[in-house]
Amino acid sequence: MISNIETMRKALKGNNPQFSGVVLYDGPSKIDGKPIVAIACRIAVASGNEKTGAMVQTFIMRKDIAPHEALKTGDDSSVCGDCALRPINKGETRCYVRVYQAPLSVYNAFHRGRYAMPGVDFDPALIPFIFEGLAFRLGSYGDPAAVPAKVWRDATKLVRSHTGYTHQWRKRIAAGLKSLCMASADHADDVKIAEILGWRTFRVRKHDAPKLKNEAICPASKEGGQRTTCANCGLCKASSIMAKHIVIADHGLMDKRRHTVNA
């Protein structure tokens, strides 16, 4: 078992690394108790996502069901809760994550043993140091509230910046995430309620809907001029900073692009 951080970093780097990432959590979902895993990858290799920039990506998914299958059957509720953007809900817009791409690739790699297991392959005490100085994204797929908050606190203890979003902000299971995650707001009323509860919000608005006075347009978005990336911005560091709520135009897979942005 690896107990030295330099050895661990070497195991994650190079043309043929020993591991493609690390497992942060392997246990029951806080949402429904079903088996899930949370996996961190893109630790030594920059993400190709133009909006987020170079961030550690984390994937929360059912351990026993491939993500594209869980999405069809509704078993994705174990990691997404009652999110209105789940495809099974057939809403006006749907989650932008294409689960048959990166999430499925991570799921398959997990079952091939490509991710280091804490307590088996490496000392869990190394986790904060693995991500030291990096930008960290909680929940590239899946809701961070499905995983115990302590897992995220340990992983982000030494990071340079972090982003995270949860649709479970009304529920007790998300209480420990206020300093790590933005409350995902689907409507203007959600912003008011979440603010009363002590959350900063990230709202997705229709293209013809105005922003609120206490909101700022995401500067990494197209309507925000793509002036920066999530990795360099820092505005989505939840309640750990004093800043306006953030708003972005709908960019889901079923979004309506018939209207111009009214901001």
PDB file of all heavy atoms in Angstrom, residues 64-99:
ATOM      1  N   ASP A  64     -23.288  -0.632  -9.193  1.00  0.00           N
ATOM      2  CA  ASP A  64     -23.749  -1.889  -9.768  1.00  0.00           C
ATOM      3  C   ASP A  64     -24.521  -1.760 -11.071  1.00  0.00           C
ATOM      4  O   ASP A  64     -24.927  -2.758 -11.660  1.00  0.00           O
ATOM      5  CB  ASP A  64     -24.632  -2.619  -8.750  1.00  0.00           C
ATOM      6  CG  ASP A  64     -25.798  -1.747  -8.270  1.00  0.00           C
ATOM      7  OD1 ASP A  64     -25.732  -0.505  -8.402  1.00  0.00           O
ATOM      8  OD2 ASP A  64     -26.779  -2.322  -7.748  1.00  0.00           O
ATOM      9  N   ILE A  65     -24.745  -0.529 -11.534  1.00  0.00           N
ATOM     10  CA  ILE A  65     -25.519  -0.320 -12.758  1.00  0.00           C
ATOM     11  C   ILE A  65     -24.806   0.733 -13.617  1.00  0.00           C
ATOM     12  O   ILE A  65     -24.504   1.822 -13.134  1.00  0.00           O
ATOM     13  CB  ILE A  65     -26.956   0.166 -12.469  1.00  0.00           C
ATOM     14  CG1 ILE A  65     -27.663  -0.778 -11.504  1.00  0.00           C
ATOM     15  CG2 ILE A  65     -27.757   0.302 -13.754  1.00  0.00           C
ATOM     16  CD1 ILE A  65     -29.023  -0.287 -11.047  1.00  0.00           C
ATOM     17  N   ALA A  66     -24.537   0.414 -14.870  1.00  0.00           N
ATOM     18  CA  ALA A  66     -23.895   1.377 -15.760  1.00  0.00           C
ATOM     19  C   ALA A  66     -24.739   2.643 -15.847  1.00  0.00           C
ATOM     20  O   ALA A  66     -25.977   2.571 -15.853  1.00  0.00           O
ATOM     21  CB  ALA A  66     -23.716   0.768 -17.145  1.00  0.00           C
ATOM     22  N   PRO A  67     -24.125   3.816 -15.907  1.00  0.00           N
ATOM     23  CA  PRO A  67     -24.883   5.069 -15.840  1.00  0.00           C
ATOM     24  C   PRO A  67     -25.931   5.250 -16.931  1.00  0.00           C
ATOM     25  O   PRO A  67     -27.009   5.796 -16.669  1.00  0.00           O
ATOM     26  CB  PRO A  67     -23.790   6.154 -15.915  1.00  0.00           C
ATOM     27  CG  PRO A  67     -22.587   5.461 -16.462  1.00  0.00           C
ATOM     28  CD  PRO A  67     -22.666   4.060 -15.973  1.00  0.00           C
ATOM     29  N   HIS A  68     -25.651   4.775 -18.136  1.00  0.00           N
ATOM     30  CA  HIS A  68     -26.648   4.941 -19.204  1.00  0.00           C
ATOM     31  C   HIS A  68     -27.848   4.023 -18.986  1.00  0.00           C
ATOM     32  O   HIS A  68     -28.970   4.352 -19.401  1.00  0.00           O
ATOM     33  CB  HIS A  68     -26.016   4.707 -20.579  1.00  0.00           C
ATOM     34  CG  HIS A  68     -25.543   3.319 -20.821  1.00  0.00           C
ATOM     35  ND1 HIS A  68     -24.610   2.685 -20.027  1.00  0.00           N
ATOM     36  CD2 HIS A  68     -25.879   2.417 -21.790  1.00  0.00           C
ATOM     37  CE1 HIS A  68     -24.394   1.474 -20.489  1.00  0.00           C
ATOM     38  NE2 HIS A  68     -25.150   1.278 -21.545  1.00  0.00           N
ATOM     39  N   GLU A  69     -27.630   2.898 -18.304  1.00  0.00           N
ATOM     40  CA  GLU A  69     -28.743   2.012 -17.981  1.00  0.00           C
ATOM     41  C   GLU A  69     -29.535   2.562 -16.792  1.00  0.00           C
ATOM     42  O   GLU A  69     -30.770   2.511 -16.779  1.00  0.00           O
ATOM     43  CB  GLU A  69     -28.231   0.608 -17.660  1.00  0.00           C
ATOM     44  CG  GLU A  69     -27.572  -0.100 -18.842  1.00  0.00           C
ATOM     45  CD  GLU A  69     -28.542  -0.364 -19.985  1.00  0.00           C
ATOM     46  OE1 GLU A  69     -29.768  -0.405 -19.736  1.00  0.00           O
ATOM     47  OE2 GLU A  69     -28.082  -0.511 -21.132  1.00  0.00           O
ATOM     48  N   ALA A  70     -28.833   3.084 -15.799  1.00  0.00           N
ATOM     49  CA  ALA A  70     -29.499   3.668 -14.631  1.00  0.00           C
ATOM     50  C   ALA A  70     -30.364   4.843 -15.039  1.00  0.00           C
ATOM     51  O   ALA A  70     -31.443   5.073 -14.474  1.00  0.00           O
ATOM     52  CB  ALA A  70     -28.450   4.108 -13.604  1.00  0.00           C
ATOM     53  N   LEU A  71     -29.911   5.588 -16.030  1.00  0.00           N
ATOM     54  CA  LEU A  71     -30.675   6.736 -16.522  1.00  0.00           C
ATOM     55  C   LEU A  71     -31.999   6.289 -17.145  1.00  0.00           C
ATOM     56  O   LEU A  71     -33.033   6.927 -16.969  1.00  0.00           O
ATOM     57  CB  LEU A  71     -29.817   7.496 -17.532  1.00  0.00           C
ATOM     58  CG  LEU A  71     -30.380   8.785 -18.108  1.00  0.00           C
ATOM     59  CD1 LEU A  71     -29.300   9.848 -18.159  1.00  0.00           C
ATOM     60  CD2 LEU A  71     -30.897   8.526 -19.532  1.00  0.00           C
ATOM     61  N   LYS A  72     -31.965   5.166 -17.867  1.00  0.00           N
ATOM     62  CA  LYS A  72     -33.179   4.663 -18.524  1.00  0.00           C
ATOM     63  C   LYS A  72     -34.196   4.132 -17.519  1.00  0.00           C
ATOM     64  O   LYS A  72     -35.404   4.316 -17.680  1.00  0.00           O
ATOM     65  CB  LYS A  72     -32.808   3.548 -19.506  1.00  0.00           C
ATOM     66  CG  LYS A  72     -31.977   3.992 -20.690  1.00  0.00           C
ATOM     67  CD  LYS A  72     -31.592   2.779 -21.529  1.00  0.00           C
ATOM     68  CE  LYS A  72     -30.642   3.133 -22.653  1.00  0.00           C
ATOM     69  NZ  LYS A  72     -30.207   1.914 -23.414  1.00  0.00           N
ATOM     70  N   THR A  73     -33.711   3.449 -16.485  1.00  0.00           N
ATOM     71  CA  THR A  73     -34.606   2.792 -15.531  1.00  0.00           C
ATOM     72  C   THR A  73     -35.044   3.691 -14.377  1.00  0.00           C
ATOM     73  O   THR A  73     -35.972   3.354 -13.651  1.00  0.00           O
ATOM     74  CB  THR A  73     -33.914   1.559 -14.931  1.00  0.00           C
ATOM     75  OG1 THR A  73     -32.734   1.983 -14.226  1.00  0.00           O
ATOM     76  CG2 THR A  73     -33.516   0.571 -16.023  1.00  0.00           C
ATOM     77  N   GLY A  74     -34.355   4.815 -14.217  1.00  0.00           N
ATOM     78  CA  GLY A  74     -34.654   5.692 -13.083  1.00  0.00           C
ATOM     79  C   GLY A  74     -33.793   5.416 -11.873  1.00  0.00           C
ATOM     80  O   GLY A  74     -33.909   6.086 -10.846  1.00  0.00           O
ATOM     81  N   ASP A  75     -32.892   4.425 -11.983  1.00  0.00           N
ATOM     82  CA  ASP A  75     -31.998   4.114 -10.868  1.00  0.00           C
ATOM     83  C   ASP A  75     -30.933   5.185 -10.668  1.00  0.00           C
ATOM     84  O   ASP A  75     -30.187   5.137  -9.685  1.00  0.00           O
ATOM     85  CB  ASP A  75     -31.326   2.756 -11.094  1.00  0.00           C
ATOM     86  CG  ASP A  75     -32.296   1.596 -10.916  1.00  0.00           C
ATOM     87  OD1 ASP A  75     -32.909   1.522  -9.839  1.00  0.00           O
ATOM     88  OD2 ASP A  75     -32.441   0.790 -11.844  1.00  0.00           O
ATOM     89  N   ASP A  76     -30.875   6.164 -11.579  1.00  0.00           N
ATOM     90  CA  ASP A  76     -29.962   7.288 -11.386  1.00  0.00           C
ATOM     91  C   ASP A  76     -30.411   8.176 -10.225  1.00  0.00           C
ATOM     92  O   ASP A  76     -29.676   9.061  -9.791  1.00  0.00           O
ATOM     93  CB  ASP A  76     -29.828   8.116 -12.664  1.00  0.00           C
ATOM     94  CG  ASP A  76     -31.144   8.707 -13.139  1.00  0.00           C
ATOM     95  OD1 ASP A  76     -32.208   8.143 -12.806  1.00  0.00           O
ATOM     96  OD2 ASP A  76     -31.113   9.730 -13.855  1.00  0.00           O
ATOM     97  N   SER A  77     -31.608   7.920  -9.689  1.00  0.00           N
ATOM     98  CA  SER A  77     -32.080   8.678  -8.528  1.00  0.00           C
ATOM     99  C   SER A  77     -31.157   8.490  -7.322  1.00  0.00           C
ATOM    100  O   SER A  77     -31.103   9.338  -6.439  1.00  0.00           O
ATOM    101  CB  SER A  77     -33.509   8.263  -8.153  1.00  0.00           C
ATOM    102  OG  SER A  77     -33.560   6.884  -7.815  1.00  0.00           O
ATOM    103  N   SER A  78     -30.399   7.391  -7.299  1.00  0.00           N
ATOM    104  CA  SER A  78     -29.471   7.150  -6.197  1.00  0.00           C
ATOM    105  C   SER A  78     -28.373   8.205  -6.144  1.00  0.00           C
ATOM    106  O   SER A  78     -27.807   8.473  -5.081  1.00  0.00           O
ATOM    107  CB  SER A  78     -28.813   5.767  -6.343  1.00  0.00           C
ATOM    108  OG  SER A  78     -29.780   4.737  -6.329  1.00  0.00           O
ATOM    109  N   VAL A  79     -28.056   8.791  -7.294  1.00  0.00           N
ATOM    110  CA  VAL A  79     -26.993   9.795  -7.347  1.00  0.00           C
ATOM    111  C   VAL A  79     -27.487  11.162  -7.790  1.00  0.00           C
ATOM    112  O   VAL A  79     -26.749  12.146  -7.696  1.00  0.00           O
ATOM    113  CB  VAL A  79     -25.842   9.340  -8.277  1.00  0.00           C
ATOM    114  CG1 VAL A  79     -25.171   8.092  -7.715  1.00  0.00           C
ATOM    115  CG2 VAL A  79     -26.316   9.096  -9.697  1.00  0.00           C
ATOM    116  N   CYS A  80     -28.720  11.234  -8.252  1.00  0.00           N
ATOM    117  CA  CYS A  80     -29.276  12.518  -8.707  1.00  0.00           C
ATOM    118  C   CYS A  80     -30.506  12.941  -7.917  1.00  0.00           C
ATOM    119  O   CYS A  80     -31.029  14.047  -8.126  1.00  0.00           O
ATOM    120  CB  CYS A  80     -29.631  12.437 -10.186  1.00  0.00           C
ATOM    121  SG  CYS A  80     -28.198  12.221 -11.266  1.00  0.00           S
ATOM    122  N   GLY A  81     -30.993  12.072  -7.049  1.00  0.00           N
ATOM    123  CA  GLY A  81     -32.155  12.426  -6.238  1.00  0.00           C
ATOM    124  C   GLY A  81     -33.382  12.697  -7.094  1.00  0.00           C
ATOM    125  O   GLY A  81     -33.633  12.021  -8.092  1.00  0.00           O
ATOM    126  N   ASP A  82     -34.111  13.750  -6.713  1.00  0.00           N
ATOM    127  CA  ASP A  82     -35.339  14.090  -7.430  1.00  0.00           C
ATOM    128  C   ASP A  82     -35.131  15.239  -8.410  1.00  0.00           C
ATOM    129  O   ASP A  82     -36.060  15.971  -8.739  1.00  0.00           O
ATOM    130  CB  ASP A  82     -36.450  14.447  -6.440  1.00  0.00           C
ATOM    131  CG  ASP A  82     -36.015  15.561  -5.478  1.00  0.00           C
ATOM    132  OD1 ASP A  82     -34.896  16.086  -5.631  1.00  0.00           O
ATOM    133  OD2 ASP A  82     -36.818  15.911  -4.583  1.00  0.00           O
ATOM    134  N   CYS A  83     -33.912  15.413  -8.876  1.00  0.00           N
ATOM    135  CA  CYS A  83     -33.585  16.500  -9.799  1.00  0.00           C
ATOM    136  C   CYS A  83     -34.558  16.517 -10.980  1.00  0.00           C
ATOM    137  O   CYS A  83     -34.763  15.497 -11.648  1.00  0.00           O
ATOM    138  CB  CYS A  83     -32.153  16.351 -10.305  1.00  0.00           C
ATOM    139  SG  CYS A  83     -31.682  17.593 -11.533  1.00  0.00           S
ATOM    140  N   ALA A  84     -35.130  17.686 -11.251  1.00  0.00           N
ATOM    141  CA  ALA A  84     -36.104  17.824 -12.332  1.00  0.00           C
ATOM    142  C   ALA A  84     -35.471  17.667 -13.706  1.00  0.00           C
ATOM    143  O   ALA A  84     -36.180  17.442 -14.694  1.00  0.00           O
ATOM    144  CB  ALA A  84     -36.778  19.191 -12.233  1.00  0.00           C
ATOM    145  N   LEU A  85     -34.158  17.755 -13.799  1.00  0.00           N
ATOM    146  CA  LEU A  85     -33.482  17.664 -15.085  1.00  0.00           C
ATOM    147  C   LEU A  85     -33.177  16.233 -15.508  1.00  0.00           C
ATOM    148  O   LEU A  85     -32.670  16.007 -16.608  1.00  0.00           O
ATOM    149  CB  LEU A  85     -32.175  18.470 -15.050  1.00  0.00           C
ATOM    150  CG  LEU A  85     -32.302  19.949 -14.680  1.00  0.00           C
ATOM    151  CD1 LEU A  85     -30.950  20.632 -14.793  1.00  0.00           C
ATOM    152  CD2 LEU A  85     -33.328  20.652 -15.563  1.00  0.00           C
ATOM    153  N   ARG A  86     -33.486  15.250 -14.649  1.00  0.00           N
ATOM    154  CA  ARG A  86     -33.283  13.850 -15.033  1.00  0.00           C
ATOM    155  C   ARG A  86     -34.157  13.529 -16.248  1.00  0.00           C
ATOM    156  O   ARG A  86     -35.344  13.884 -16.274  1.00  0.00           O
ATOM    157  CB  ARG A  86     -33.634  12.919 -13.874  1.00  0.00           C
ATOM    158  CG  ARG A  86     -32.667  13.003 -12.707  1.00  0.00           C
ATOM    159  CD  ARG A  86     -33.214  12.260 -11.494  1.00  0.00           C
ATOM    160  NE  ARG A  86     -33.495  10.873 -11.807  1.00  0.00           N
ATOM    161  CZ  ARG A  86     -34.528  10.193 -11.293  1.00  0.00           C
ATOM    162  NH1 ARG A  86     -35.392  10.771 -10.467  1.00  0.00           N
ATOM    163  NH2 ARG A  86     -34.704   8.935 -11.613  1.00  0.00           N
ATOM    164  N   PRO A  87     -33.612  12.874 -17.259  1.00  0.00           N
ATOM    165  CA  PRO A  87     -34.376  12.585 -18.477  1.00  0.00           C
ATOM    166  C   PRO A  87     -35.685  11.847 -18.225  1.00  0.00           C
ATOM    167  O   PRO A  87     -36.664  12.057 -18.936  1.00  0.00           O
ATOM    168  CB  PRO A  87     -33.407  11.724 -19.290  1.00  0.00           C
ATOM    169  CG  PRO A  87     -32.068  12.197 -18.874  1.00  0.00           C
ATOM    170  CD  PRO A  87     -32.200  12.476 -17.399  1.00  0.00           C
ATOM    171  N   ILE A  88     -35.716  11.001 -17.196  1.00  0.00           N
ATOM    172  CA  ILE A  88     -36.925  10.229 -16.937  1.00  0.00           C
ATOM    173  C   ILE A  88     -38.103  11.121 -16.566  1.00  0.00           C
ATOM    174  O   ILE A  88     -39.266  10.741 -16.695  1.00  0.00           O
ATOM    175  CB  ILE A  88     -36.669   9.163 -15.839  1.00  0.00           C
ATOM    176  CG1 ILE A  88     -37.709   8.040 -15.938  1.00  0.00           C
ATOM    177  CG2 ILE A  88     -36.638   9.786 -14.450  1.00  0.00           C
ATOM    178  CD1 ILE A  88     -37.376   6.812 -15.128  1.00  0.00           C
ATOM    179  N   ASN A  89     -37.809  12.346 -16.106  1.00  0.00           N
ATOM    180  CA  ASN A  89     -38.868  13.284 -15.734  1.00  0.00           C
ATOM    181  C   ASN A  89     -39.461  13.999 -16.941  1.00  0.00           C
ATOM    182  O   ASN A  89     -40.486  14.683 -16.817  1.00  0.00           O
ATOM    183  CB  ASN A  89     -38.348  14.308 -14.730  1.00  0.00           C
ATOM    184  CG  ASN A  89     -38.072  13.685 -13.377  1.00  0.00           C
ATOM    185  OD1 ASN A  89     -38.761  12.761 -12.957  1.00  0.00           O
ATOM    186  ND2 ASN A  89     -37.059  14.184 -12.677  1.00  0.00           N
ATOM    187  N   LYS A  90     -38.803  13.888 -18.097  1.00  0.00           N
ATOM    188  CA  LYS A  90     -39.307  14.440 -19.359  1.00  0.00           C
ATOM    189  C   LYS A  90     -39.678  15.924 -19.245  1.00  0.00           C
ATOM    190  O   LYS A  90     -40.726  16.370 -19.709  1.00  0.00           O
ATOM    191  CB  LYS A  90     -40.507  13.639 -19.868  1.00  0.00           C
ATOM    192  CG  LYS A  90     -40.221  12.167 -20.078  1.00  0.00           C
ATOM    193  CD  LYS A  90     -41.401  11.437 -20.672  1.00  0.00           C
ATOM    194  CE  LYS A  90     -41.159   9.932 -20.743  1.00  0.00           C
ATOM    195  NZ  LYS A  90     -39.994   9.558 -21.506  1.00  0.00           N
ATOM    196  N   GLY A  91     -38.792  16.688 -18.648  1.00  0.00           N
ATOM    197  CA  GLY A  91     -39.031  18.116 -18.492  1.00  0.00           C
ATOM    198  C   GLY A  91     -38.694  18.900 -19.750  1.00  0.00           C
ATOM    199  O   GLY A  91     -38.255  18.348 -20.767  1.00  0.00           O
ATOM    200  N   GLU A  92     -38.922  20.234 -19.693  1.00  0.00           N
ATOM    201  CA  GLU A  92     -38.649  21.095 -20.839  1.00  0.00           C
ATOM    202  C   GLU A  92     -37.165  21.095 -21.199  1.00  0.00           C
ATOM    203  O   GLU A  92     -36.788  21.253 -22.347  1.00  0.00           O
ATOM    204  CB  GLU A  92     -39.092  22.531 -20.536  1.00  0.00           C
ATOM    205  CG  GLU A  92     -40.596  22.715 -20.493  1.00  0.00           C
ATOM    206  CD  GLU A  92     -40.979  24.157 -20.286  1.00  0.00           C
ATOM    207  OE1 GLU A  92     -40.064  25.005 -20.168  1.00  0.00           O
ATOM    208  OE2 GLU A  92     -42.177  24.450 -20.253  1.00  0.00           O
ATOM    209  N   THR A  93     -36.343  20.964 -20.195  1.00  0.00           N
ATOM    210  CA  THR A  93     -34.907  20.869 -20.425  1.00  0.00           C
ATOM    211  C   THR A  93     -34.377  19.652 -19.678  1.00  0.00           C
ATOM    212  O   THR A  93     -35.046  19.143 -18.778  1.00  0.00           O
ATOM    213  CB  THR A  93     -34.178  22.142 -19.965  1.00  0.00           C
ATOM    214  OG1 THR A  93     -32.805  22.062 -20.359  1.00  0.00           O
ATOM    215  CG2 THR A  93     -34.246  22.303 -18.460  1.00  0.00           C
ATOM    216  N   ARG A  94     -33.216  19.199 -20.072  1.00  0.00           N
ATOM    217  CA  ARG A  94     -32.656  18.003 -19.443  1.00  0.00           C
ATOM    218  C   ARG A  94     -31.172  18.205 -19.166  1.00  0.00           C
ATOM    219  O   ARG A  94     -30.528  19.065 -19.756  1.00  0.00           O
ATOM    220  CB  ARG A  94     -32.864  16.781 -20.351  1.00  0.00           C
ATOM    221  CG  ARG A  94     -34.348  16.479 -20.559  1.00  0.00           C
ATOM    222  CD  ARG A  94     -34.589  15.240 -21.401  1.00  0.00           C
ATOM    223  NE  ARG A  94     -36.003  15.135 -21.738  1.00  0.00           N
ATOM    224  CZ  ARG A  94     -36.501  14.208 -22.540  1.00  0.00           C
ATOM    225  NH1 ARG A  94     -35.700  13.298 -23.089  1.00  0.00           N
ATOM    226  NH2 ARG A  94     -37.784  14.172 -22.807  1.00  0.00           N
ATOM    227  N   CYS A  95     -30.678  17.401 -18.266  1.00  0.00           N
ATOM    228  CA  CYS A  95     -29.280  17.491 -17.857  1.00  0.00           C
ATOM    229  C   CYS A  95     -28.363  17.449 -19.084  1.00  0.00           C
ATOM    230  O   CYS A  95     -28.587  16.677 -20.016  1.00  0.00           O
ATOM    231  CB  CYS A  95     -28.953  16.337 -16.919  1.00  0.00           C
ATOM    232  SG  CYS A  95     -27.237  16.305 -16.357  1.00  0.00           S
ATOM    233  N   TYR A  96     -27.336  18.315 -19.066  1.00  0.00           N
ATOM    234  CA  TYR A  96     -26.420  18.402 -20.192  1.00  0.00           C
ATOM    235  C   TYR A  96     -25.417  17.249 -20.244  1.00  0.00           C
ATOM    236  O   TYR A  96     -24.723  17.067 -21.254  1.00  0.00           O
ATOM    237  CB  TYR A  96     -25.649  19.727 -20.141  1.00  0.00           C
ATOM    238  CG  TYR A  96     -24.793  19.867 -18.903  1.00  0.00           C
ATOM    239  CD1 TYR A  96     -23.498  19.370 -18.873  1.00  0.00           C
ATOM    240  CD2 TYR A  96     -25.293  20.464 -17.751  1.00  0.00           C
ATOM    241  CE1 TYR A  96     -22.723  19.468 -17.731  1.00  0.00           C
ATOM    242  CE2 TYR A  96     -24.523  20.571 -16.609  1.00  0.00           C
ATOM    243  CZ  TYR A  96     -23.243  20.072 -16.609  1.00  0.00           C
ATOM    244  OH  TYR A  96     -22.483  20.154 -15.468  1.00  0.00           O
ATOM    245  N   VAL A  97     -25.308  16.455 -19.166  1.00  0.00           N
ATOM    246  CA  VAL A  97     -24.306  15.388 -19.117  1.00  0.00           C
ATOM    247  C   VAL A  97     -24.718  14.228 -20.032  1.00  0.00           C
ATOM    248  O   VAL A  97     -25.809  13.685 -19.904  1.00  0.00           O
ATOM    249  CB  VAL A  97     -24.112  14.866 -17.683  1.00  0.00           C
ATOM    250  CG1 VAL A  97     -23.069  13.741 -17.673  1.00  0.00           C
ATOM    251  CG2 VAL A  97     -23.673  15.992 -16.760  1.00  0.00           C
ATOM    252  N   ARG A  98     -23.840  13.866 -20.911  1.00  0.00           N
ATOM    253  CA  ARG A  98     -24.067  12.707 -21.780  1.00  0.00           C
ATOM    254  C   ARG A  98     -23.446  11.488 -21.094  1.00  0.00           C
ATOM    255  O   ARG A  98     -22.237  11.264 -21.200  1.00  0.00           O
ATOM    256  CB  ARG A  98     -23.455  12.955 -23.164  1.00  0.00           C
ATOM    257  CG  ARG A  98     -24.177  14.049 -23.951  1.00  0.00           C
ATOM    258  CD  ARG A  98     -23.423  14.410 -25.221  1.00  0.00           C
ATOM    259  NE  ARG A  98     -24.215  15.253 -26.100  1.00  0.00           N
ATOM    260  CZ  ARG A  98     -24.334  16.567 -25.997  1.00  0.00           C
ATOM    261  NH1 ARG A  98     -23.695  17.206 -25.014  1.00  0.00           N
ATOM    262  NH2 ARG A  98     -25.076  17.258 -26.840  1.00  0.00           N
ATOM    263  N   VAL A  99     -24.277  10.725 -20.415  1.00  0.00           N
ATOM    264  CA  VAL A  99     -23.756   9.672 -19.543  1.00  0.00           C
ATOM    265  C   VAL A  99     -23.066   8.540 -20.296  1.00  0.00           C
ATOM    266  O   VAL A  99     -22.270   7.797 -19.718  1.00  0.00           O
ATOM    267  CB  VAL A  99     -24.866   9.085 -18.644  1.00  0.00           C
ATOM    268  CG1 VAL A  99     -25.415  10.143 -17.708  1.00  0.00           C
ATOM    269  CG2 VAL A  99     -25.983   8.473 -19.478  1.00  0.00           C
TER     270      VAL A  99
END
